[in-house]
Amino acid sequence: MSSIQRISRWQFVMLLLPIVIATEILPVTDLSAKFAHQRTWLAMIPATLTGIWSIWVMTELARRHPGQSIIQYAMDILGKWGGRAFGVIIILQTFIYTTKVAAEMMTFISMFALPRTPKPMILGLFLFACGVAVWAGIEVIARCAETFIPITITFFLFVFICLLPNMRPAYVRPVLGPDWFETVIQAAIVPSAWYGEFLLMGFLLPFLETSKNVRRMSYYLLTFIGVFVVMIALQSTMVAGPLIEKLTYSYYITARYISLGDFFERIDPLIISIWMYGLVVKEAVCLFVFATCVTQLTGLSDHRLIVMPVTILTMIGCLWMFPNLAELRSFLTYTFPIEGMVVQNILPTFLLAVDMLRRGLDRSPAHA
Amino acid sequence: MRPYRRMKRPKSIIPEVRLPDPVPEAGDLLDKALEVKEKQLRETFANCSDVVFRHIVCPDAVGQGIRMLITYVDGLVDTKHLDEAVLQVLMRQPLPPAPAVTAAWVQEILADRAVPAAQVGVVTTYDEVVAFVLKGSVTMCVDGDEAALTLSVVGWKQRGIEEPPSEPVIRGPREGFVESLRTNTAMVRRRIRSPKLKMQTFTIGEFTKTDVVLAYVDGIAEPSVVEEARRRIQRIDIDAVLESAFLEEFIEDSPKSPFPQVQSTERPDVVSANLLEGRFAIFTDGTPFALVAPVVFWGALNANEDYYERTFMSSFLRILRITFMLVSLLLPSVYVAMATFQQEMIPTTLLMSISAARESTPFPAVIEALFMEIVFEALREAGVRMPKQIGQAMSIVGALVIGQAAVEAGIISAPMVIVVSFTGIASFTFPRYNFGIAIRLLRFPMLILSGIFGIYGIAIGIVILVIHLVSLRSFGVPYFTPVGPMHFQDFRDVFIRVPRWAMRYRGGMTAKQNTIRIPAGQQPGPQQDKE
């Protein structure tokens, strides 16, 4: 196997798609609904702003430093120690990603599918699968993504179509009303953190075969994700109505309304299976980035040396930080948006600003 | 480890004495005297009762006669032909006077007298003579000359060309490969009458000296892939090659995988089609199975008849096969998961009958499933290995005892028997036997995963399976192409088969340099009057 692995642009898109879609659909819709009620779908539109911001910053940085990951050019821009400090923050952020995704999976499975199975077993199996993929490298993760993500998207569209008879558009009203703007912005804060996860682009872009049109492609991707998430929010709202704010995992619960030909009355456990594909891809990407971070910061030669420690660390961190659903939801609602805004958006922007400033300073004496 | 060994086994202090070797070294020239030659050959072929030595004396113009020694392996040579075509020609009429009696001169005489022996050659070294004798040629040593003559009058018994039992078709050519290498390559050459079809021969095996032919179409096959194949074949150092599987295990990319990364086939039309797709084929002497590589996962679900039947039917059959591949892999585990963990997924009326049947059985579903699957595999294996007369008795025992009695006694639930037999039927839909084995094998880990984790375990099992599949390669081509990595162009021939005139491009991963197969605009339609 060659040491330099490359991914195509289609694979790049397929790797980024589950970053938002896989984890946002299930836990986030009902968290936003707590604030925006029937306007949840509206809240998903301003949430993409952080995505636009993040994509712009990451592609601009990648354009200025082609072939380098964010850790590598941070060392160039901020100097050795500044860059290392920055790298440590990014490592902690990727650690949050891996534990968060694993915790979302674990709480969901132990709530709906396997209530009596010990959580470490569920988590261990999941992380084993992800660890195997990370061990094989980014090419294998990308090919898995190509295989699984189209299936996932098709299935979610299938669920949407099957739910059409159960939707009552009246539940969306009133669209505007008293305090509509405040509630929508408030509700947009939670999902906005997910769009900030485009930070991961900083690690995937160096693997891309050609960096042509990456920014435009990423914006198309963002638009697709935005439309998709709005569709999911509308689906949950129109099926569950005012109940949506009381449900946990409203998407999963609304899927129970599906009835196929009066024979299959419950296809919701299939969601577990299909959703798992997206989650595995996302967790594998996050774990890969985590491992790459550590390798690049410590100057090791191969990310494979790190895969096992990183996976075990994720398992411990997940069991320690998010032992139950309440802890996870409180983290997702109150901590993650703020912390994510700082690390995912403001810090890279600061990096870009320093880079611009330094280049500007370097250039001006030359012109004088 | 190493120092320890060195301590245990000190180097022998006795200097190695070279024993005088009666058998000449490789590359030694033949002796002039016939007696010496005969002695050497007889020593080499000591205790080989099937090697025949025959002295003949050919009358010549002087009258004293030229002595010759004929050596061949009995059974490999057409003796009737040898007598009629060669010996009678030499012995009936006196040979013309010669300046010197040499093998080349004898060859000339044979040519002059129009001997119909196919190939006559002159060899000069001792080991060449031995090699030709073992290959089935007749060697003729002439007294007083260093060279020897080899005559190819091959005539061993071989099986006739029949329809291959492992790949039957309803429509399509009926001939299959046989055990003879040249017959097989000729069958392919007859289909691809182009000098671009190249066939390179290798000899592999210390004892068997098996001829192996690497065939590819120059200008379509990727040169780097062919070069890699050549390198891997040349690297093989083995004592014997008795079947192409011996080679397969040396040239595949990932030995630690249940999935075959090289296709084996008995059909010349399949080999020809694959060669024209840019793949290469390896023929092995002594077996009707040729190897084809690089192959992909989805190719294993395509039968050659897909290309001979109408496109709608072929596409339908392909989708059916993919579905049944999933059924044969997953059905028992899905049943176990639904019966144990996700009962809500089973429709109510069905759930009633399943739970009524399961009420009286003592085992949990997963144990029942594992037991039945193993019994089924054992029945199948017994059915394959048993002589046909006993096989029938066994199938009665299997069907009655396992199927009916176990259910009636309440040991196994009836739905389980249905699930297992349906899985069995599904596993017979694979066009390729060795691929089906891989899926059959993977059913068991899936079953255990689903017994522990339910539908979540199945999902993770599929994930791990796909991770494994996408990390495989066959001669540099990713195994899961065209799904991962995605090649939209190749989708015309994976899940569906488009008509031949629309299959305009060769497989994107195997034929990169010569991609266009069929020029555009050949879609047929009703005759249109042109003004």
Side-chain angles (χ1 to χ4, degrees):
Chain A
M1 198 177 281
S2 67
S3 56
I4 303 164
Q5 300 194 333
R6 290 267 175 245
I7 53 175
S8 69
R9 288 197 290 177
W10 171 255
Q11 288 176 329
F12 177 74
V13 168
M14 285 295 135
L15 284 173
L16 284 180
L17 244 174
I19 284 179
V20 177
I21 287 198
T23 46
E24 202 185 294
I25 285 176
L26 278 161
V28 178
T29 319
D30 33 309
L31 289 180
S32 290
K34 298 245 180 312
F35 299 96
H37 312 290
Q38 78 281 9
R39 299 190 192 104
T40 315
W41 64 277
L42 264 181
M44 298 299 169
I45 298 168
T48 51
L49 280 176
T50 51
I52 297 172
W53 180 4
S54 186
I55 288 174
W56 190 81
V57 171
M58 295 322 293
T59 46
E60 182 63 23
L61 278 168
R63 194 181 61 79
R64 285 161 170 264
H65 304 271
Q68 279 185 314
S69 80
I70 184 161
I71 297 256
Q72 287 165 327
Y73 54 69
M75 291 220 209
D76 289 352
I77 297 169
L78 299 175
K80 203 174 168 192
W81 288 105
R84 283 201 182 153
F86 185 85
V88 169
I89 296 173
I90 298 288
I91 286 186
L92 293 177
Q93 183 66 26
T94 51
F95 182 54
I96 289 177
Y97 289 158
T98 53
T99 49
K100 178 174 71 82
V101 176
E104 278 160 4
M105 190 283 308
M106 183 178 74
T107 48
F108 179 78
I109 294 293
S110 63
M111 190 169 165
F112 288 108
L114 304 166
R116 286 161 66 195
T117 310
K119 280 181 182 177
M121 287 291 285
I122 299 173
L123 192 59
L125 186 66
F126 176 72
L127 285 176
F128 171 74
C130 301
V132 171
V134 177
W135 174 269
I138 188 73
E139 260 183 12
V140 166
I141 303 174
R143 287 184 201 149
C144 281
E146 276 178 306
T147 314
F148 285 138
I149 302 305
I151 298 175
T152 313
I153 300 287
T154 318
F155 183 75
F156 284 147
L157 290 175
F158 170 72
V159 168
F160 183 80
I161 291 167
C162 290
L163 275 175
L164 278 175
N166 296 305
M167 289 186 193
R168 290 180 60 186
Y171 280 144
V172 189
R173 285 190 319 198
V175 177
L176 304 178
D179 301 331
W180 71 274
F181 189 72
E182 288 86 337
T183 49
V184 163
I185 295 299
Q186 270 181 347
I189 288 173
V190 176
S192 74
W194 266 261
Y195 292 99
E197 288 180 16
F198 280 107
L199 174 74
L200 294 172
M201 276 173 82
F203 294 92
L204 298 180
L205 281 172
F207 290 103
L208 211 55
E209 280 168 347
T210 133
S211 52
K212 227 167 64 183
N213 291 337
V214 169
R215 182 177 290 169
R216 195 194 299 167
M217 197 176 63
S218 308
Y219 282 135
Y220 285 148
L221 172 70
L222 187 69
T223 318
F224 175 76
I225 293 175
V227 170
F228 196 80
V229 168
V230 167
M231 190 188 88
I232 297 294
L234 272 176
Q235 171 191 325
S236 296
T237 318
M238 289 200 288
V239 173
L243 265 178
I244 183 170
E245 50 209 278
K246 302 208 170 52
L247 299 173
T248 42
Y249 299 117
S250 53
Y251 179 79
Y252 184 76
I253 292 175
T254 50
R256 288 185 183 163
Y257 286 74
I258 294 175
S259 161
L260 289 177
D262 288 337
F263 186 65
F264 291 104
E265 299 286 350
R266 293 283 299 276
I267 64 157
D268 44 308
L270 266 184
I271 293 180
I272 300 172
S273 163
I274 304 285
W275 185 55
M276 200 51 59
Y277 302 150
L279 265 184
V280 164
V281 172
K282 176 165 181 184
E283 178 74 353
V285 172
C286 293
L287 266 178
F288 177 79
V289 167
F290 190 6
T292 319
C293 266
V294 178
T295 0
Q296 288 180 348
L297 205 66
T298 50
L300 289 168
S301 56
D302 195 352
H303 81 277
R304 287 179 197 202
L305 297 165
I306 299 294
V307 173
M308 215 159 80
V310 155
T311 314
I312 293 171
L313 191 67
T314 302
M315 186 163 170
I316 296 168
C318 177
L319 290 170
W320 179 50
M321 292 203 288
F322 308 109
N324 53 48
L325 185 65
E327 294 262 351
L328 176 68
R329 284 172 80 91
S330 110
F331 173 80
L332 292 182
T333 322
Y334 300 110
T335 318
F336 187 54
I338 311 300
E339 176 269 342
M341 173 65 97
V342 174
V343 180
Q344 295 172 160
N345 291 97
I346 296 177
L347 268 183
T349 315
F350 165 71
L351 197 66
L352 181 62
V354 173
D355 191 35
M356 281 175 159
L357 212 63
R358 282 186 65 165
R359 290 221 177 163
L361 286 179
D362 284 351
R363 202 174 295 154
S364 46
H367 282 291
Chain B
M1 198 69 192
R2 203 151 256 229
Y4 173 70
R5 268 200 180 169
R6 213 171 271 169
M7 242 162 51
K8 285 274 279 194
R9 272 194 263 156
K11 261 192 177 172
S12 168
I13 44 166
I14 307 160
E16 210 172 281
V17 181
R18 243 187 93 82
L19 293 166
D21 195 0
V23 178
E25 295 260 310
D28 275 3
L29 292 178
L30 290 165
D31 201 275
K32 270 194 179 181
L34 194 65
E35 286 74 22
V36 180
K37 280 190 270 205
E38 188 183 348
K39 188 165 164 273
Q40 284 176 343
L41 284 172
R42 274 189 192 276
E43 265 163 16
T44 309
F45 292 115
N47 291 335
C48 299
S49 60
D50 56 339
V51 179
V52 178
F53 294 91
R54 227 171 114 184
H55 285 280
I56 57 167
V57 181
C58 302
D60 65 353
V62 190
Q64 72 188 100
I66 300 165
R67 287 189 305 143
M68 292 186 192
L69 173 71
I70 287 174
T71 318
Y72 59 88
V73 177
D74 198 14
L76 293 188
V77 170
D78 188 354
T79 36
K80 200 175 163 198
H81 186 197
L82 177 72
D83 284 342
E84 281 174 4
V86 184
L87 301 186
Q88 289 191 8
V89 169
L90 286 177
M91 293 163 80
R92 201 172 275 165
Q93 302 167 13
L95 299 179
V101 182
T102 62
W105 171 71
V106 179
Q107 187 185 4
E108 266 177 38
I109 294 167
L110 288 176
D112 283 347
R113 296 191 179 171
V115 170
Q119 291 164 358
V120 184
V122 176
V123 291
T124 51
T125 61
Y126 176 77
D127 46 339
E128 274 178 306
V129 172
V130 173
F132 270 101
V133 169
L134 291 174
K135 251 189 209 175
S137 294
V138 175
T139 58
M140 203 184 266
C141 299
V142 187
D143 190 20
D145 187 32
E146 281 117 346
L149 217 58
T150 63
L151 306 157
S152 178
V153 272
V154 180
W156 63 76
K157 292 280 171 286
Q158 66 179 45
R159 189 167 61 95
I161 294 174
E162 291 163 14
E163 182 168 10
S166 68
E167 295 162 87
V169 289
I170 294 166
R171 177 173 175 182
R174 302 224 181 267
E175 61 177 12
F177 288 137
V178 293
E179 278 78 0
S180 151
L181 176 76
R182 280 301 160 206
T183 315
N184 295 350
T185 54
M187 276 188 229
V188 173
R189 176 69 78 182
R190 227 176 56 220
R191 286 179 168 75
I192 307 176
R193 287 178 186 154
S194 161
K196 295 232 172 204
L197 171 63
K198 307 291 182 197
M199 296 200 179
Q200 192 182 358
T201 308
F202 303 89
T203 305
I204 301 172
E206 191 191 337
F207 287 97
T208 55
K209 302 263 187 254
T210 312
D211 283 336
V212 171
V213 167
L214 170 71
Y216 59 95
V217 178
D218 198 20
I220 298 179
E222 195 65 21
S224 61
V225 171
V226 174
E227 186 49 42
E228 178 62 30
R230 199 173 285 143
R231 207 165 36 237
R232 287 188 196 178
I233 292 173
Q234 278 166 345
R235 206 170 54 196
I236 300 173
D237 186 6
I238 190 175
D239 61 336
V241 180
L242 301 178
E243 218 281 333
S244 51
F246 285 52
L247 302 176
E248 183 181 337
E249 295 191 354
F250 276 92
I251 61 172
E252 63 190 1
D253 288 58
S254 308
K256 290 176 205 142
S257 169
F259 290 95
Q261 297 138 53
V262 179
Q263 179 188 348
S264 59
T265 178
E266 278 187 272
R267 301 190 62 92
D269 55 329
V270 172
V271 168
S272 309
N274 277 306
L275 288 174
L276 293 170
E277 282 270 313
R279 303 197 176 89
F280 63 83
I282 297 172
F283 299 94
T284 312
D285 197 15
T287 175
F289 285 93
L291 302 177
V292 172
V295 290
V296 295
F297 177 84
W298 305 102
L301 298 164
N302 299 352
N304 58 336
E305 216 179 331
D306 289 355
Y307 299 99
Y308 309 146
E309 284 301 336
R310 296 192 64 76
T311 156
F312 291 104
M313 196 56 201
S314 310
S315 306
F316 168 70
L317 286 177
R318 279 191 178 179
I319 292 165
L320 194 77
R321 273 188 219 120
I322 291 170
T323 318
F324 271 72
M325 176 194 72
L326 291 175
V327 164
S328 118
L329 178 68
L330 296 176
L331 185 69
S333 19
V334 167
Y335 173 75
V336 166
M338 298 218 302
T340 321
F341 295 95
Q342 271 84 31
Q343 291 96 342
E344 75 267 22
M345 275 190 80
I346 310 174
T348 320
T349 41
L350 188 61
L351 183 66
M352 301 278 241
S353 48
I354 289 179
S355 53
R358 289 194 36 74
E359 192 68 24
S360 57
T361 56
F363 301 112
V366 59
I367 301 290
E368 214 173 281
L370 272 176
F371 174 73
M372 284 306 280
E373 285 294 338
I374 289 170
V375 165
F376 176 73
E377 289 297 320
L379 273 177
R380 171 144 72 175
E381 181 61 17
V384 174
R385 303 290 157 224
M386 279 277 149
K388 270 182 191 146
Q389 295 84 343
I390 311 171
Q392 204 172 4
M394 201 206 58
S395 61
I396 293 170
V397 168
L400 284 183
V401 174
I402 312 291
Q404 210 171 342
V407 173
E408 276 176 14
I411 296 169
I412 302 292
S413 66
M416 196 69 236
V417 176
I418 297 169
V419 164
V420 169
S421 35
F422 193 57
T423 314
I425 294 167
S427 68
F428 288 125
T429 56
F430 295 108
R432 270 190 231 156
Y433 180 68
N434 56 357
F435 186 81
I437 303 176
I439 298 285
R440 263 160 68 187
L441 197 65
L442 289 170
R443 204 155 66 207
F444 292 99
M446 279 292 186
L447 204 49
I448 292 166
L449 268 179
S450 88
I452 301 173
F453 292 105
I455 206 159
Y456 165 69
I458 298 175
I460 295 289
I462 294 173
V463 165
I464 294 174
L465 180 61
V466 169
I467 290 172
H468 174 70
L469 282 171
V470 297
S471 56
L472 284 181
R473 277 168 183 276
S474 170
F475 286 84
V477 176
Y479 199 54
F480 220 48
T481 324
V483 175
M486 190 75 82
H487 282 268
F488 293 107
Q489 195 62 260
D490 294 3
F491 270 96
R492 293 168 183 227
D493 194 18
V494 178
F495 301 112
I496 55 162
R497 180 186 79 77
V498 297
R500 189 45 72 174
W501 44 261
M503 249 188 245
R504 290 194 44 219
Y505 303 97
R506 295 198 171 87
M509 292 309 281
T510 46
K512 284 180 196 154
Q513 46 173 341
N514 191 353
T515 52
I516 294 196
R517 170 157 48 192
I518 291 164
Q522 296 189 71
Q523 176 173 4
Q527 190 182 6
Q528 279 166 2
D529 295 327
K530 278 179 191 162
E531 306 262 328

